[in-house]
Amino acid sequence: MNIEWIGKLQDLIGEERVNTSEGDLFRHSRDESFHEPVQPDTVVFPESTQMVRDIVEFAGENKLPITAYGAGSGLDGAAIPVSKGISMNFEWMKDVISFNPDDLSITVQPGITRLELNHEINRQGLYFPIDPGADASIGGMTATNASGTTAVRYGSMRDQILNLEVVLADGRVINTGSSAKKSSSGYHLNGLFTGSEGTLGIITQITLKLHGIPEHAVAARCTFDTPKHCAAAAQAVLASGIPVLRMELVDAPSIRQVNAYGDYRFPEEHSLFFEFAGTQTSTEEEAVFVEELMQDMGCRNWERASGSKERAEIWKARHELSYAFRHIKGTEVMGSDVCVPLSKLAGMVDFARSEIEACGLLGSVFGHVGDGNFHTIIVYDPAIPEEKAAAEKINEQLILKAIEAGGTCTGEHGVGLGKMKYQRMEHGEAVDVMRSFKQLLDPEGLLNPGKIFD
Amino acid sequence: MNIEWIGKLQDLIGEERVNTSEGDLFRHSRDESFHEPVQPDTVVFPESTQMVRDIVEFAGENKLPITAYGAGSGLDGAAIPVSKGISMNFEWMKDVISFNPDDLSITVQPGITRLELNHEINRQGLYFPIDPGADASIGGMTATNASGTTAVRYGSMRDQILNLEVVLADGRVINTGSSAKKSSSGYHLNGLFTGSEGTLGIITQITLKLHGIPEHAVAARCTFDTPKHCAAAAQAVLASGIPVLRMELVDAPSIRQVNAYGDYRFPEEHSLFFEFAGTQTSTEEEAVFVEELMQDMGCRNWERASGSKERAEIWKARHELSYAFRHIKGTEVMGSDVCVPLSKLAGMVDFARSEIEACGLLGSVFGHVGDGNFHTIIVYDPAIPEEKAAAEKINEQLILKAIEAGGTCTGEHGVGLGKMKYQRMEHGEAVDVMRSFKQLLDPEGLLNPGKIFD
């Protein structure tokens, strides 16, 4: 075994920071995706940028792969160390480096999670709005360009990043941006390293934009005859220019599953969920405007609430959806994450629902319809190969159709392991340019090998 | 002379598309900056991506520099062909390739200008909001990552770009994004090519996000004792979370100059200009809220208007400012474009005003205070070297202070010729990474040579 280099690594950074326990190897072999787990040879817990640099240089000298690991909440295997080697966990790098409320910005280490970050800043009336659902680490969210339910207003991680400190494969430490809110200086390295899934460098600090907590919020939910009607209604809201904070589709079979799982009585129909946020007057006005628009488009069951408990109640079916499908005993789930131009959304959602019906498996269609981004969850029995194959087939058809429609195979989960094979189809010759950047910055291929490029 | 290759180029793409008239060489030797003009050897007017590709391949075979030219409205010399060769003008590539109102997007060729683009789409209730003041070409705005008065709400060009078609130095044609509103697929080439000032490739198509025209707008103007008070007031507006459409500072000497230039009677005080836009109720509410906030902060002369003519009247002093300084007979102007963290803005603006006062030259301090981005215009007599040197010294001091404060030497004009020497100071070792990308994509250094890197 590789005990020799592990011993040397322990000498370099301290025994307590290099872990080969069965439990840790198991934990770092997987994420929340259906991909095959692979255990690393060891897990390291650096405590500083300098220590990350030491480990990267050590890995370079010994030709060892390094795969960064955040909270393990990834959905396409980006953190699975498929070539083994070192899994680098950032649990011990959670510091707030500097919090600057007057600049509406904060600099943090990558291990801090989304909720921990908000806990630090909410007392100042500020929040970091990107919300992928899971309590992901900020480092992981940056590496995958995560987004979620608030992307319709705030965009993806990339839109919220002012600066990154990155350790390159050769040990150089660079800053990819500045603390200025906008810049036309030099090439935009911020954007390039965000979403690069640890393949171009290891992110060791992140400077984020922050936002004022809206003074008032209203949640609402309504239902339509078909998922296609929901998507068309969402498009109408966007065209109206109303700056919704969240706008989510959940189809009827998903509501049924949530009801069964939690013993609820939500109307088992195709539903749109809304959240409006801002000043009291503007928020109430927006909610009324959207209610009228939805009524015009044939919605039923419009319900709304502004108290924080009542809002949570309205959104419950959306929040518990993923859990309701993922925890059915003896089954596994496969997800998709395509994003298409808005005009193509209704047709895509319709197609996804019909394909799931046709194959006879339990499944959900839901997502961030304000961005053209939606997900499927298909539940299959891993003991029945035909079921997995059917789920894979639907997933692939959705991706092929999305790319054909001018969209992308992944709106927010990242390429990871599942979308490598679609990169050339989606990006054409641009893949060669991407690959040449990888080759330039990591000629030995030690940073998260086996990802993004086939 | 180089007549031989010019003849060959005429054979290749047609005589009428290769121009060496004195008038055209002169026009393409300069932009709106104070930098020394340099005439290209010839100006080409391609009509298609294929023709751009033919020219790029021809230039590669003959080792000829190519500098892209949009509307000539750049402010730091990015379009000046300092190594001569070919200036590539996009006047004959102004087509709308596809307009997709339902997707809130449009694909255009680079030569179309901002106003031409809006003319095409306004009838559908949509607009493209980025507004650098000049009627710049969309290609030039993309190449410099331009922004302007609406950046406080809509960000810079980079935030509005879904996809670029780019001809690389070796003739490959790539697409850097897709038509999806968000994506986590592959490396973010959109962001890298945006703002690269034609040094990494020639942009031949641009897919932009569009936005609904707000139903209602209110303009307002108020005055404060010092520019520092204006900046502090702007910061308070941002912290309140009010989504202003525009928020601009113009200092008292600038208003004085505008009054003299246009025979107006605007209050000659340090002024903040606002524009609010959205639904009628929300806009009116925002305007009232900001008025109260400004009164609390000691403003005077609050004026507001909602009719389109009256709004233009309120904003006149801001709109005519640049012209009022740039057209004083026998003088030239030097501008700066720093952007700093918001908390540093008041001090920077104060410093700029004092330095201009101290040197005795006529000058303006104004800008996009909601982004931490402001400009100076200093008027000097080109026949008096001391005056130019004094202006340059202030410019340099501002840049050094901005970088020291964690900001950038250029918020929106681009590096061009004037900020090359500050790249290493601002970006440190990241400059080497940028330069390695340039070397990778343009090993012969033929795409806009002599820019960005010293």
Side-chain angles (χ1 to χ4, degrees):
Chain A
M1 233 284 250
N2 307 291
I3 288 167
E4 200 186 317
W5 67 258
I6 291 174
K8 279 193 208 160
L9 188 54
Q10 286 173 329
D11 292 343
L12 182 70
I13 62 167
E15 210 174 320
E16 71 282 13
R17 300 190 188 93
V18 182
N19 198 326
T20 54
S21 76
E22 200 47 49
D24 261 328
L25 296 185
F26 176 77
R27 177 158 74 101
H28 293 80
S29 71
R30 56 193 303 155
D31 61 6
E32 294 284 324
S33 73
F34 65 95
H35 294 296
E36 203 63 44
V38 178
Q39 292 197 356
D41 293 311
T42 187
V43 184
V44 299
F45 296 82
E47 289 185 58
S48 66
T49 299
Q50 182 55 49
M51 207 174 280
V52 171
R53 190 178 181 173
D54 291 344
I55 298 163
V56 167
E57 286 177 345
F58 177 87
E61 285 154 18
N62 294 278
K63 308 271 178 273
L64 301 166
I66 299 185
T67 301
Y69 181 96
S73 55
L75 290 170
D76 215 335
I80 299 178
V82 289
S83 304
K84 304 186 67 75
I86 297 167
S87 174
M88 185 179 282
N89 181 308
F90 286 93
E91 260 165 37
W92 296 2
M93 283 179 72
K94 284 186 177 236
D95 287 353
V96 172
I97 304 290
S98 65
F99 175 28
N100 306 296
D102 290 344
D103 294 336
L104 299 173
S105 78
I106 193 167
T107 300
V108 297
Q109 289 185 315
I112 194 168
T113 71
R114 179 175 71 81
L115 296 177
E116 288 165 350
L117 169 65
N118 276 300
H119 181 76
E120 292 284 335
I121 62 180
N122 286 172
R123 62 194 150 82
Q124 296 271 0
L126 297 174
Y127 82 138
F128 183 68
I130 307 294
D131 177 4
D135 188 21
S137 73
I138 295 296
M141 288 168 66
T142 304
T144 54
N145 190 34
S147 49
T149 50
T150 60
V152 64
R153 184 183 288 183
Y154 291 103
S156 303
M157 281 301 283
R158 193 177 277 131
D159 301 300
Q160 299 298 329
I161 283 170
L162 294 171
N163 189 24
L164 301 174
E165 180 187 81
V166 180
V167 176
L168 300 179
D170 61 10
R172 280 180 295 172
V173 181
I174 62 167
N175 280 279
T176 60
S178 73
S179 298
K181 236 178 107 183
K182 64 183 206 190
S183 174
S184 287
S185 183
Y187 299 152
H188 190 53
L189 300 184
N190 269 352
L192 193 72
F193 282 88
T194 304
S196 66
E197 303 184 22
T199 62
L200 296 178
I202 308 275
I203 297 166
T204 46
Q205 277 185 27
I206 301 146
T207 304
L208 298 166
K209 299 181 195 168
L210 300 177
H211 301 268
I213 299 174
E215 123 197 351
H216 188 70
V218 172
R221 191 187 61 219
C222 65
T223 65
F224 286 93
D225 281 343
T226 66
K228 204 169 170 169
H229 280 92
C230 290
Q235 208 187 337
V237 173
L238 286 178
S240 79
I242 292 287
V244 287
L245 176 63
R246 305 178 205 256
M247 181 164 62
E248 298 279 305
L249 160 77
V250 178
D251 76 350
S254 308
I255 306 271
R256 202 172 305 132
Q257 182 65 23
V258 171
N259 279 349
Y261 164 79
D263 200 16
Y264 303 122
R265 282 147 203 268
F266 299 114
E268 292 182 356
E269 296 183 48
H270 306 293
S271 307
L272 267 188
F273 291 74
F274 294 97
E275 192 163 323
F276 309 96
T279 63
Q280 178 143 7
T281 317
S282 67
T283 307
E284 294 291 337
E285 186 198 15
E286 285 164 15
V288 169
F289 180 93
V290 171
E291 180 180 355
E292 283 168 13
L293 183 60
M294 296 299 95
Q295 305 283 14
D296 286 349
M297 298 195 71
C299 89
R300 288 185 302 275
N301 302 307
W302 177 273
E303 275 192 75
R304 52 152 284 165
S306 54
S308 104
K309 221 173 126 186
E310 294 74 17
R311 293 203 319 267
E313 190 60 34
I314 293 246
W315 270 77
K316 196 171 242 171
R318 171 65 184 91
H319 282 143
E320 300 198 357
L321 186 162
S322 178
Y323 205 77
F325 280 97
R326 285 175 185 276
H327 294 259
I328 303 170
K329 216 168 170 179
T331 67
E332 291 188 7
V333 300
M334 194 175 296
S336 66
D337 174 39
V338 296
C339 186
V340 294
L342 298 172
S343 65
K344 301 297 195 319
L345 183 68
M348 285 291 290
V349 158
D350 204 42
F351 174 79
R353 186 70 257 162
S354 330
E355 290 298 303
I356 293 173
E357 294 301 321
C359 84
L361 291 175
L362 182 65
S364 170
V365 178
F366 68 104
H368 319 307
V369 287
D371 306 309
N373 179 210
F374 72 97
H375 305 301
T376 54
I377 294 180
I378 304 177
V379 181
Y380 64 93
D381 182 339
I384 307 174
E386 294 75 20
E387 290 199 5
K388 186 173 184 184
E392 274 172 339
K393 194 178 153 210
I394 293 175
N395 201 348
E396 172 149 291
Q397 282 178 297
L398 286 172
I399 290 175
L400 300 184
K401 275 182 91 79
I403 293 174
E404 198 191 322
T408 175
C409 62
T410 175
E412 56 182 20
H413 294 171
V415 177
L417 293 167
K419 288 92 150 209
M420 287 197 294
K421 63 176 166 175
Y422 306 109
Q423 290 299 292
R424 182 158 301 272
M425 186 182 302
E426 179 173 335
H427 300 293
E429 282 197 274
V431 169
D432 301 321
V433 175
M434 296 176 193
R435 198 189 279 269
S436 69
F437 290 161
K438 167 71 175 173
Q439 174 66 24
L440 183 72
L441 290 179
D442 180 23
E444 301 281 351
L446 298 177
L447 298 179
N448 205 3
K451 304 292 167 60
I452 299 188
F453 308 108
D454 245 338
Chain B
M1 233 285 252
N2 307 294
I3 288 168
E4 200 186 317
W5 66 259
I6 292 175
K8 281 192 207 161
L9 189 53
Q10 285 172 331
D11 292 345
L12 183 68
I13 62 167
E15 210 174 318
E16 70 284 11
R17 300 189 189 93
V18 182
N19 198 325
T20 53
S21 75
E22 201 46 50
D24 261 328
L25 296 184
F26 176 78
R27 177 158 75 99
H28 293 79
S29 70
R30 55 195 301 156
D31 60 5
E32 294 283 324
S33 74
F34 65 95
H35 295 295
E36 202 64 42
V38 178
Q39 293 197 356
D41 293 312
T42 188
V43 184
V44 298
F45 296 82
E47 289 185 60
S48 66
T49 299
Q50 182 56 49
M51 207 175 281
V52 171
R53 190 177 180 173
D54 292 343
I55 298 164
V56 166
E57 286 178 345
F58 177 87
E61 285 154 19
N62 294 278
K63 309 272 178 271
L64 300 166
I66 299 184
T67 302
Y69 180 97
S73 55
L75 290 170
D76 216 336
I80 298 178
V82 290
S83 305
K84 305 185 69 73
I86 297 167
S87 174
M88 185 179 281
N89 180 309
F90 286 92
E91 259 165 36
W92 297 1
M93 284 179 72
K94 284 186 177 235
D95 287 352
V96 172
I97 303 291
S98 65
F99 175 29
N100 306 296
D102 290 345
D103 294 337
L104 300 174
S105 78
I106 193 167
T107 301
V108 296
Q109 289 185 314
I112 195 169
T113 71
R114 177 174 73 80
L115 295 177
E116 288 165 349
L117 169 65
N118 276 300
H119 181 75
E120 292 285 334
I121 63 179
N122 285 172
R123 64 196 149 80
Q124 296 270 0
L126 298 174
Y127 82 138
F128 182 69
I130 306 294
D131 178 3
D135 188 21
S137 73
I138 295 297
M141 287 168 65
T142 304
T144 54
N145 189 33
S147 50
T149 50
T150 60
V152 63
R153 183 183 288 182
Y154 291 102
S156 304
M157 282 300 285
R158 192 177 278 131
D159 301 301
Q160 299 298 328
I161 284 171
L162 294 171
N163 189 24
L164 301 174
E165 179 188 82
V166 180
V167 176
L168 300 179
D170 61 10
R172 280 180 294 172
V173 180
I174 61 167
N175 280 280
T176 60
S178 74
S179 297
K181 237 178 105 183
K182 63 183 207 189
S183 174
S184 287
S185 182
Y187 298 153
H188 190 54
L189 300 184
N190 269 351
L192 192 72
F193 282 87
T194 305
S196 66
E197 303 184 24
T199 62
L200 295 178
I202 308 275
I203 297 166
T204 47
Q205 277 185 27
I206 302 146
T207 303
L208 298 167
K209 298 182 196 168
L210 300 177
H211 301 268
I213 299 175
E215 124 199 348
H216 187 69
V218 172
R221 191 186 59 221
C222 64
T223 64
F224 285 94
D225 282 343
T226 66
K228 203 168 171 168
H229 279 91
C230 290
Q235 209 188 336
V237 173
L238 287 178
S240 79
I242 293 286
V244 286
L245 176 63
R246 305 179 204 256
M247 181 165 61
E248 298 279 306
L249 160 76
V250 178
D251 75 350
S254 308
I255 306 271
R256 202 171 304 134
Q257 181 66 23
V258 172
N259 280 348
Y261 164 77
D263 200 16
Y264 303 122
R265 281 147 205 269
F266 298 114
E268 293 181 355
E269 296 182 49
H270 307 292
S271 307
L272 267 187
F273 291 73
F274 295 96
E275 193 164 324
F276 309 96
T279 64
Q280 177 142 8
T281 317
S282 68
T283 307
E284 293 292 337
E285 185 198 15
E286 285 165 14
V288 168
F289 181 92
V290 170
E291 179 180 355
E292 282 168 12
L293 184 60
M294 295 300 95
Q295 305 283 12
D296 287 350
M297 298 195 72
C299 89
R300 287 186 301 276
N301 303 308
W302 177 273
E303 275 192 74
R304 53 152 284 166
S306 55
S308 104
K309 220 173 125 185
E310 294 74 17
R311 292 203 319 267
E313 189 60 33
I314 293 246
W315 270 76
K316 195 171 242 172
R318 171 66 185 90
H319 282 142
E320 300 198 358
L321 186 161
S322 179
Y323 205 76
F325 281 97
R326 284 174 187 276
H327 293 260
I328 303 170
K329 215 168 170 179
T331 67
E332 291 187 7
V333 300
M334 193 176 295
S336 66
D337 174 40
V338 296
C339 186
V340 294
L342 298 172
S343 65
K344 301 296 194 319
L345 182 69
M348 285 291 289
V349 158
D350 202 42
F351 174 78
R353 187 69 258 163
S354 329
E355 289 298 303
I356 293 173
E357 294 300 323
C359 84
L361 293 175
L362 182 65
S364 171
V365 178
F366 68 104
H368 320 309
V369 288
D371 306 308
N373 179 211
F374 71 96
H375 305 302
T376 53
I377 293 180
I378 304 178
V379 181
Y380 63 93
D381 182 340
I384 305 174
E386 293 75 19
E387 289 198 8
K388 186 171 184 185
E392 274 172 340
K393 194 179 153 208
I394 294 175
N395 201 348
E396 173 149 291
Q397 281 178 298
L398 285 172
I399 290 175
L400 301 183
K401 275 181 92 80
I403 294 175
E404 198 191 322
T408 175
C409 62
T410 175
E412 58 182 19
H413 294 171
V415 176
L417 293 167
K419 288 91 151 208
M420 287 197 294
K421 63 177 166 177
Y422 307 109
Q423 290 299 292
R424 182 158 300 273
M425 186 182 302
E426 180 173 334
H427 300 294
E429 281 197 274
V431 169
D432 301 322
V433 174
M434 297 176 192
R435 198 190 280 269
S436 69
F437 291 160
K438 167 71 175 173
Q439 175 66 23
L440 183 71
L441 290 179
D442 180 23
E444 301 282 351
L446 298 177
L447 298 178
N448 205 3
K451 304 292 166 60
I452 300 188
F453 308 107
D454 246 339

